[in-house]
Amino acid sequence: MKRLLAIALFALTAALGVAQTPPPAAPAGAPATATAAPASGAAAQPFKLNIGLEGAGTPGGEVSVALQIVVIMTLLSVAPSIVLLMTSFTRIVIVLGFVRTALGAPSAPSNQIVVGLSLFLTFFLMGPVFDRVNNDAIRPYLDGKITSVEALDKASVPLKQFMLKQTRTRDLEYFLELGGFGPTAVKDLPMRVVIPAFVISELQTAFQMGFLLFLPFLVIDFLVSSVLMALGMMMMPPVTVALPLKLLLFVLVDGWHLVVRSLVQSFG
């Protein structure tokens, strides 16, 4: 992403430099006053950025630099959605939220810590995929070996393979049927089918893991409630007594390590 931003800034600087065209040189015998007016008029003109679709003469029909800037800025604006929907972030953040709710401490850890841990785990799990995108698409594009269209096609291949590995077959079949597609090979599946099927599968998997995480803490709540009822302590809230017991159990079994390990292994 830093490379894309650097390219955008460099291209914007180049485009602004081209937009400010210098005034034409005056003939040798012309008086000095003849060139003064155009020079002052050119200096008074503001910077201009022209967006066009030139590039018909470039290899592969490469679009103009200005249009590439618009595309890059658009990608930067939708980058959070891409991270949320096309990576492992969805499953991780939902499972960590279930752990916090099952413990009975909805504000510990805070949302910033949960989201931050989810992002770093996402970068860790998606590292091999990002490396393939960098080697197959970004570097060849920066070196001028492939066009921007080819770079986008090559970059989508590792992401599609990752999503298909985590997607259920019935979800893919449902969206293929919903979109009116016939029998389609796996390699020919469009992204508009793979992405929603992947998100639905991730939600299903995350809720299944959350249910399994709730079971031991639910047992502790039942035991505490039964003991308090047997002792006749009607005015004692069971949540107040169960919370330290659940925290003690979670710490003794090294709960965060188990949860993170289960999440990482679920993508294996």
Side-chain angles (χ1 to χ4, degrees):
M1 194 61 66
K2 290 182 178 179
R3 295 186 178 182
L4 293 178
L5 184 57
I7 297 171
L9 294 176
F10 177 79
L12 181 59
T13 304
L16 291 176
V18 172
Q20 187 185 15
T21 57
T33 57
T35 58
S40 60
Q45 291 181 356
F47 290 111
K48 294 181 180 180
L49 177 62
N50 296 323
I51 299 177
L53 294 175
E54 296 87 356
T58 57
E62 186 74 16
V63 296
S64 64
V65 175
L67 188 58
Q68 292 181 23
I69 296 173
V70 176
V71 174
I72 291 175
M73 293 303 177
T74 304
L75 290 177
L76 291 177
S77 64
V78 300
S81 300
I82 296 176
V83 173
L84 290 176
L85 299 180
M86 299 178 63
T87 63
S88 57
F89 179 84
T90 302
R91 183 189 305 184
I92 295 173
V93 74
I94 291 177
V95 172
L96 293 181
F98 274 130
V99 172
R100 186 176 60 179
T101 305
L103 285 173
S107 60
S110 62
N111 292 330
Q112 292 83 353
I113 296 177
V114 172
V115 174
L117 179 59
S118 303
L119 283 175
F120 278 106
L121 288 176
T122 300
F123 293 149
F124 174 77
L125 291 171
M126 299 296 295
V129 179
F130 293 155
D131 291 339
R132 288 185 57 190
V133 172
N134 182 42
N135 296 330
D136 297 344
I138 297 179
R139 286 188 176 180
Y141 175 70
L142 294 179
D143 295 337
K145 298 179 180 179
I146 58 176
T147 63
S148 58
V149 177
E150 294 174 347
L152 290 176
D153 293 338
K154 291 181 179 294
S156 63
V157 173
L159 287 173
K160 182 187 293 187
Q161 292 177 354
F162 170 80
M163 289 188 290
L164 289 175
K165 189 177 180 180
Q166 309 298 330
T167 305
R168 292 176 172 83
T169 304
R170 66 172 182 268
D171 294 329
L172 287 173
E173 292 176 351
Y174 170 72
F175 282 100
L176 283 174
E177 181 182 358
L178 194 64
F181 295 93
T184 308
V186 176
K187 63 179 181 179
D188 298 330
L189 289 173
M191 293 295 287
R192 62 192 180 102
V193 170
V194 175
I195 294 177
F198 170 74
V199 175
I200 296 299
S201 298
E202 286 293 283
L203 292 175
Q204 179 72 15
T205 304
F207 274 74
Q208 289 176 354
M209 298 180 67
F211 171 75
L212 296 177
L213 288 170
F214 260 94
L215 289 180
F217 301 109
L218 189 61
V219 172
I220 294 178
D221 289 333
F222 282 151
L223 292 176
V224 170
S225 299
S226 301
V227 171
L228 293 178
M229 288 289 292
L231 295 176
M233 303 175 66
M234 302 296 184
M235 302 303 294
M236 176 65 69
V239 177
T240 305
V241 181
L243 178 59
L245 296 178
K246 291 189 287 187
L247 291 177
L248 178 62
L249 174 65
F250 195 72
V251 171
L252 289 178
V253 300
D254 199 3
W256 289 114
H257 173 77
L258 294 177
V259 171
V260 172
R261 186 176 68 179
S262 301
L263 283 171
V264 173
Q265 291 178 351
S266 66
F267 290 97

PDB file of all heavy atoms in Angstrom, residues 242-257:
ATOM      1  N   ALA A 242     -19.925 -15.467  39.415  1.00  0.00           N
ATOM      2  CA  ALA A 242     -19.400 -16.282  38.324  1.00  0.00           C
ATOM      3  C   ALA A 242     -18.252 -15.611  37.585  1.00  0.00           C
ATOM      4  O   ALA A 242     -17.386 -16.299  37.043  1.00  0.00           O
ATOM      5  CB  ALA A 242     -20.525 -16.607  37.340  1.00  0.00           C
ATOM      6  N   LEU A 243     -18.224 -14.270  37.575  1.00  0.00           N
ATOM      7  CA  LEU A 243     -17.189 -13.572  36.818  1.00  0.00           C
ATOM      8  C   LEU A 243     -15.774 -13.909  37.289  1.00  0.00           C
ATOM      9  O   LEU A 243     -14.924 -14.282  36.468  1.00  0.00           O
ATOM     10  CB  LEU A 243     -17.439 -12.066  36.859  1.00  0.00           C
ATOM     11  CG  LEU A 243     -16.406 -11.201  36.140  1.00  0.00           C
ATOM     12  CD1 LEU A 243     -16.307 -11.581  34.667  1.00  0.00           C
ATOM     13  CD2 LEU A 243     -16.746  -9.716  36.284  1.00  0.00           C
ATOM     14  N   PRO A 244     -15.467 -13.813  38.582  1.00  0.00           N
ATOM     15  CA  PRO A 244     -14.096 -14.179  38.972  1.00  0.00           C
ATOM     16  C   PRO A 244     -13.773 -15.642  38.738  1.00  0.00           C
ATOM     17  O   PRO A 244     -12.619 -15.987  38.432  1.00  0.00           O
ATOM     18  CB  PRO A 244     -14.055 -13.827  40.467  1.00  0.00           C
ATOM     19  CG  PRO A 244     -15.455 -13.746  40.902  1.00  0.00           C
ATOM     20  CD  PRO A 244     -16.235 -13.291  39.719  1.00  0.00           C
ATOM     21  N   LEU A 245     -14.766 -16.525  38.862  1.00  0.00           N
ATOM     22  CA  LEU A 245     -14.513 -17.940  38.585  1.00  0.00           C
ATOM     23  C   LEU A 245     -14.188 -18.168  37.110  1.00  0.00           C
ATOM     24  O   LEU A 245     -13.295 -18.955  36.776  1.00  0.00           O
ATOM     25  CB  LEU A 245     -15.719 -18.779  39.012  1.00  0.00           C
ATOM     26  CG  LEU A 245     -16.051 -18.780  40.514  1.00  0.00           C
ATOM     27  CD1 LEU A 245     -17.295 -19.601  40.784  1.00  0.00           C
ATOM     28  CD2 LEU A 245     -14.873 -19.326  41.312  1.00  0.00           C
ATOM     29  N   LYS A 246     -14.913 -17.493  36.230  1.00  0.00           N
ATOM     30  CA  LYS A 246     -14.636 -17.631  34.797  1.00  0.00           C
ATOM     31  C   LYS A 246     -13.285 -17.044  34.430  1.00  0.00           C
ATOM     32  O   LYS A 246     -12.542 -17.612  33.614  1.00  0.00           O
ATOM     33  CB  LYS A 246     -15.752 -16.966  33.985  1.00  0.00           C
ATOM     34  CG  LYS A 246     -17.064 -17.703  34.064  1.00  0.00           C
ATOM     35  CD  LYS A 246     -18.097 -17.161  33.099  1.00  0.00           C
ATOM     36  CE  LYS A 246     -18.637 -15.831  33.553  1.00  0.00           C
ATOM     37  NZ  LYS A 246     -19.772 -15.375  32.699  1.00  0.00           N
ATOM     38  N   LEU A 247     -12.944 -15.929  35.038  1.00  0.00           N
ATOM     39  CA  LEU A 247     -11.621 -15.350  34.792  1.00  0.00           C
ATOM     40  C   LEU A 247     -10.523 -16.267  35.296  1.00  0.00           C
ATOM     41  O   LEU A 247      -9.476 -16.435  34.637  1.00  0.00           O
ATOM     42  CB  LEU A 247     -11.521 -13.981  35.463  1.00  0.00           C
ATOM     43  CG  LEU A 247     -12.377 -12.853  34.874  1.00  0.00           C
ATOM     44  CD1 LEU A 247     -12.226 -11.579  35.702  1.00  0.00           C
ATOM     45  CD2 LEU A 247     -11.993 -12.581  33.425  1.00  0.00           C
ATOM     46  N   LEU A 248     -10.730 -16.887  36.466  1.00  0.00           N
ATOM     47  CA  LEU A 248      -9.730 -17.809  37.006  1.00  0.00           C
ATOM     48  C   LEU A 248      -9.559 -19.009  36.086  1.00  0.00           C
ATOM     49  O   LEU A 248      -8.425 -19.439  35.805  1.00  0.00           O
ATOM     50  CB  LEU A 248     -10.154 -18.261  38.405  1.00  0.00           C
ATOM     51  CG  LEU A 248      -9.242 -19.268  39.100  1.00  0.00           C
ATOM     52  CD1 LEU A 248      -7.863 -18.666  39.313  1.00  0.00           C
ATOM     53  CD2 LEU A 248      -9.852 -19.717  40.432  1.00  0.00           C
ATOM     54  N   LEU A 249     -10.662 -19.571  35.617  1.00  0.00           N
ATOM     55  CA  LEU A 249     -10.572 -20.704  34.695  1.00  0.00           C
ATOM     56  C   LEU A 249      -9.871 -20.312  33.407  1.00  0.00           C
ATOM     57  O   LEU A 249      -9.020 -21.056  32.896  1.00  0.00           O
ATOM     58  CB  LEU A 249     -11.981 -21.232  34.395  1.00  0.00           C
ATOM     59  CG  LEU A 249     -12.075 -22.329  33.328  1.00  0.00           C
ATOM     60  CD1 LEU A 249     -11.356 -23.591  33.802  1.00  0.00           C
ATOM     61  CD2 LEU A 249     -13.529 -22.633  33.008  1.00  0.00           C
ATOM     62  N   PHE A 250     -10.195 -19.142  32.880  1.00  0.00           N
ATOM     63  CA  PHE A 250      -9.604 -18.694  31.618  1.00  0.00           C
ATOM     64  C   PHE A 250      -8.100 -18.477  31.766  1.00  0.00           C
ATOM     65  O   PHE A 250      -7.334 -18.776  30.850  1.00  0.00           O
ATOM     66  CB  PHE A 250     -10.298 -17.405  31.172  1.00  0.00           C
ATOM     67  CG  PHE A 250     -10.042 -17.025  29.752  1.00  0.00           C
ATOM     68  CD1 PHE A 250     -10.613 -17.733  28.707  1.00  0.00           C
ATOM     69  CD2 PHE A 250      -9.214 -15.952  29.439  1.00  0.00           C
ATOM     70  CE1 PHE A 250     -10.388 -17.385  27.398  1.00  0.00           C
ATOM     71  CE2 PHE A 250      -8.974 -15.601  28.129  1.00  0.00           C
ATOM     72  CZ  PHE A 250      -9.561 -16.315  27.103  1.00  0.00           C
ATOM     73  N   VAL A 251      -7.675 -17.961  32.909  1.00  0.00           N
ATOM     74  CA  VAL A 251      -6.252 -17.726  33.120  1.00  0.00           C
ATOM     75  C   VAL A 251      -5.510 -19.041  33.338  1.00  0.00           C
ATOM     76  O   VAL A 251      -4.396 -19.243  32.835  1.00  0.00           O
ATOM     77  CB  VAL A 251      -6.042 -16.768  34.306  1.00  0.00           C
ATOM     78  CG1 VAL A 251      -4.560 -16.681  34.676  1.00  0.00           C
ATOM     79  CG2 VAL A 251      -6.574 -15.383  33.968  1.00  0.00           C
ATOM     80  N   LEU A 252      -6.110 -19.978  34.092  1.00  0.00           N
ATOM     81  CA  LEU A 252      -5.446 -21.243  34.397  1.00  0.00           C
ATOM     82  C   LEU A 252      -5.206 -22.079  33.138  1.00  0.00           C
ATOM     83  O   LEU A 252      -4.177 -22.763  33.031  1.00  0.00           O
ATOM     84  CB  LEU A 252      -6.263 -22.037  35.410  1.00  0.00           C
ATOM     85  CG  LEU A 252      -6.285 -21.482  36.846  1.00  0.00           C
ATOM     86  CD1 LEU A 252      -7.183 -22.333  37.737  1.00  0.00           C
ATOM     87  CD2 LEU A 252      -4.879 -21.417  37.416  1.00  0.00           C
ATOM     88  N   VAL A 253      -6.129 -22.047  32.200  1.00  0.00           N
ATOM     89  CA  VAL A 253      -5.969 -22.848  30.976  1.00  0.00           C
ATOM     90  C   VAL A 253      -5.248 -22.078  29.886  1.00  0.00           C
ATOM     91  O   VAL A 253      -5.124 -22.582  28.761  1.00  0.00           O
ATOM     92  CB  VAL A 253      -7.342 -23.320  30.455  1.00  0.00           C
ATOM     93  CG1 VAL A 253      -8.048 -24.169  31.491  1.00  0.00           C
ATOM     94  CG2 VAL A 253      -8.212 -22.135  30.044  1.00  0.00           C
ATOM     95  N   ASP A 254      -4.762 -20.851  30.195  1.00  0.00           N
ATOM     96  CA  ASP A 254      -4.082 -20.010  29.196  1.00  0.00           C
ATOM     97  C   ASP A 254      -5.009 -19.780  28.004  1.00  0.00           C
ATOM     98  O   ASP A 254      -4.708 -20.146  26.864  1.00  0.00           O
ATOM     99  CB  ASP A 254      -2.772 -20.663  28.756  1.00  0.00           C
ATOM    100  CG  ASP A 254      -1.820 -19.668  28.094  1.00  0.00           C
ATOM    101  OD1 ASP A 254      -2.178 -18.472  28.045  1.00  0.00           O
ATOM    102  OD2 ASP A 254      -0.745 -20.076  27.631  1.00  0.00           O
ATOM    103  N   GLY A 255      -6.142 -19.159  28.316  1.00  0.00           N
ATOM    104  CA  GLY A 255      -7.225 -19.055  27.341  1.00  0.00           C
ATOM    105  C   GLY A 255      -6.881 -18.295  26.081  1.00  0.00           C
ATOM    106  O   GLY A 255      -7.228 -18.721  24.974  1.00  0.00           O
ATOM    107  N   TRP A 256      -6.162 -17.164  26.215  1.00  0.00           N
ATOM    108  CA  TRP A 256      -5.862 -16.389  25.015  1.00  0.00           C
ATOM    109  C   TRP A 256      -4.962 -17.168  24.056  1.00  0.00           C
ATOM    110  O   TRP A 256      -5.128 -17.082  22.839  1.00  0.00           O
ATOM    111  CB  TRP A 256      -5.204 -15.069  25.399  1.00  0.00           C
ATOM    112  CG  TRP A 256      -6.143 -14.102  26.039  1.00  0.00           C
ATOM    113  CD1 TRP A 256      -6.106 -13.649  27.322  1.00  0.00           C
ATOM    114  CD2 TRP A 256      -7.280 -13.488  25.431  1.00  0.00           C
ATOM    115  NE1 TRP A 256      -7.153 -12.795  27.557  1.00  0.00           N
ATOM    116  CE2 TRP A 256      -7.889 -12.664  26.413  1.00  0.00           C
ATOM    117  CE3 TRP A 256      -7.854 -13.553  24.162  1.00  0.00           C
ATOM    118  CZ2 TRP A 256      -9.020 -11.920  26.153  1.00  0.00           C
ATOM    119  CZ3 TRP A 256      -8.992 -12.816  23.899  1.00  0.00           C
ATOM    120  CH2 TRP A 256      -9.568 -12.004  24.886  1.00  0.00           C
ATOM    121  N   HIS A 257      -4.030 -17.920  24.621  1.00  0.00           N
ATOM    122  CA  HIS A 257      -3.168 -18.735  23.751  1.00  0.00           C
ATOM    123  C   HIS A 257      -3.989 -19.795  23.032  1.00  0.00           C
ATOM    124  O   HIS A 257      -3.789 -20.034  21.824  1.00  0.00           O
ATOM    125  CB  HIS A 257      -2.069 -19.385  24.588  1.00  0.00           C
ATOM    126  CG  HIS A 257      -1.227 -20.366  23.819  1.00  0.00           C
ATOM    127  ND1 HIS A 257      -0.243 -19.972  22.930  1.00  0.00           N
ATOM    128  CD2 HIS A 257      -1.234 -21.729  23.793  1.00  0.00           C
ATOM    129  CE1 HIS A 257       0.325 -21.034  22.397  1.00  0.00           C
ATOM    130  NE2 HIS A 257      -0.257 -22.110  22.901  1.00  0.00           N
TER     131      HIS A 257
END
